[in-house]
Amino acid sequence: MSNQTVEEDLSCQFLSPLLQRLAQRGRVCHYRTGSLLIQEGDRDDTIYILLSGRVRAYSVGEKGQEITYGVYGPGEYLGELSLDGGVRSASVVTIERCTCAVVSRQTVLEHIAQHPEFAFELLSKVIRRVRSATMNARQLALNDVYGRLIHMVNTIAEPGGDGTRVIRERWTHKELASRLGCSRAMVSRLLKDLETGGYVRLEPECFVIIKPLPTRW
């Protein structure tokens, strides 16, 4: 790989100055769609700084059911929870072609020694992840599947410009089930009822919310 290519990879506009300096100390790697970057339960002390593409963090239950913790894009980094020497708490897979800067724990420690302010940036990231995980656990414990669907829509839908709201990605029923912690059959029932009621419109590339979803299913 040429130096020019590496510099182009590391010029990700989503990286903070301190994170970009850390990325420059790592190894730039390219991954195909469907590549497993992190395996839950493994022991590894590297972090992955995402320069391009998107990844999904998830866990798989004993019966093969999946739950998705989040989808992350350029400027994010993953694997920081293993910096304490513990096992990986989740798996991470690419859902698009990705470019990452792969950085070892030792390199992170050296970077913090030279730039102590990065410790606060890292701490802020961990706090946000813990807060998100707490909210997800609360949703799973206190809301039914429909309540979790409403929460997800209200969190990520964007104004469509014509009075509608739009989720600018069309997930499969399996992906939605993974996000909501339920079965694909339940997702199919919910979406069919909402579409029949004129609340949503499912388009090839997006999910359109035509009018406010009812508070109860």
Side-chain angles (χ1 to χ4, degrees), residues 51 69 107 120 144 178:
L51 306 175
Y69 300 120
T107 300
F120 292 97
D144 59 14
S178 176

mmCIF file of all heavy atoms in Angstrom, residues 51 69 107 120 144 178:
data_model
loop_
_atom_site.group_PDB
_atom_site.id
_atom_site.type_symbol
_atom_site.label_atom_id
_atom_site.label_comp_id
_atom_site.label_asym_id
_atom_site.label_seq_id
_atom_site.Cartn_x
_atom_site.Cartn_y
_atom_site.Cartn_z
ATOM 1 N N LEU A 51 -12.509 4.191 9.767
ATOM 2 C CA LEU A 51 -12.214 5.299 8.860
ATOM 3 C C LEU A 51 -13.249 5.419 7.757
ATOM 4 O O LEU A 51 -13.538 6.521 7.276
ATOM 5 C CB LEU A 51 -10.818 5.114 8.252
ATOM 6 C CG LEU A 51 -9.676 4.925 9.260
ATOM 7 C CD1 LEU A 51 -8.372 4.643 8.529
ATOM 8 C CD2 LEU A 51 -9.538 6.144 10.166
ATOM 9 N N TYR A 69 -26.517 -4.281 19.366
ATOM 10 C CA TYR A 69 -26.295 -3.174 20.295
ATOM 11 C C TYR A 69 -26.195 -1.837 19.571
ATOM 12 O O TYR A 69 -26.526 -0.799 20.136
ATOM 13 C CB TYR A 69 -25.010 -3.402 21.096
ATOM 14 C CG TYR A 69 -25.029 -4.666 21.911
ATOM 15 C CD1 TYR A 69 -24.090 -5.670 21.707
ATOM 16 C CD2 TYR A 69 -25.991 -4.873 22.899
ATOM 17 C CE1 TYR A 69 -24.102 -6.838 22.461
ATOM 18 C CE2 TYR A 69 -26.018 -6.025 23.656
ATOM 19 C CZ TYR A 69 -25.061 -7.007 23.431
ATOM 20 O OH TYR A 69 -25.081 -8.158 24.165
ATOM 21 N N THR A 107 -0.018 0.737 22.281
ATOM 22 C CA THR A 107 0.012 1.989 21.524
ATOM 23 C C THR A 107 -0.950 3.013 22.121
ATOM 24 O O THR A 107 -0.638 4.206 22.192
ATOM 25 C CB THR A 107 -0.344 1.731 20.050
ATOM 26 O OG1 THR A 107 0.598 0.814 19.486
ATOM 27 C CG2 THR A 107 -0.315 3.016 19.241
ATOM 28 N N PHE A 120 -9.544 11.610 28.672
ATOM 29 C CA PHE A 120 -10.886 12.142 28.905
ATOM 30 C C PHE A 120 -11.787 11.867 27.703
ATOM 31 O O PHE A 120 -12.981 11.608 27.860
ATOM 32 C CB PHE A 120 -10.809 13.642 29.190
ATOM 33 C CG PHE A 120 -10.147 13.967 30.497
ATOM 34 C CD1 PHE A 120 -8.810 14.318 30.540
ATOM 35 C CD2 PHE A 120 -10.861 13.918 31.685
ATOM 36 C CE1 PHE A 120 -8.187 14.607 31.742
ATOM 37 C CE2 PHE A 120 -10.247 14.207 32.896
ATOM 38 C CZ PHE A 120 -8.905 14.552 32.927
ATOM 39 N N ASP A 144 -42.768 -3.304 25.912
ATOM 40 C CA ASP A 144 -43.023 -4.437 25.037
ATOM 41 C C ASP A 144 -42.360 -4.160 23.686
ATOM 42 O O ASP A 144 -41.744 -3.109 23.482
ATOM 43 C CB ASP A 144 -44.522 -4.707 24.894
ATOM 44 C CG ASP A 144 -45.290 -3.501 24.339
ATOM 45 O OD1 ASP A 144 -44.647 -2.554 23.823
ATOM 46 O OD2 ASP A 144 -46.529 -3.501 24.421
ATOM 47 N N SER A 178 -33.431 -8.258 15.407
ATOM 48 C CA SER A 178 -32.195 -8.218 16.185
ATOM 49 C C SER A 178 -32.098 -6.921 16.984
ATOM 50 O O SER A 178 -31.669 -6.917 18.137
ATOM 51 C CB SER A 178 -30.985 -8.361 15.258
ATOM 52 O OG SER A 178 -29.782 -8.243 15.978
#
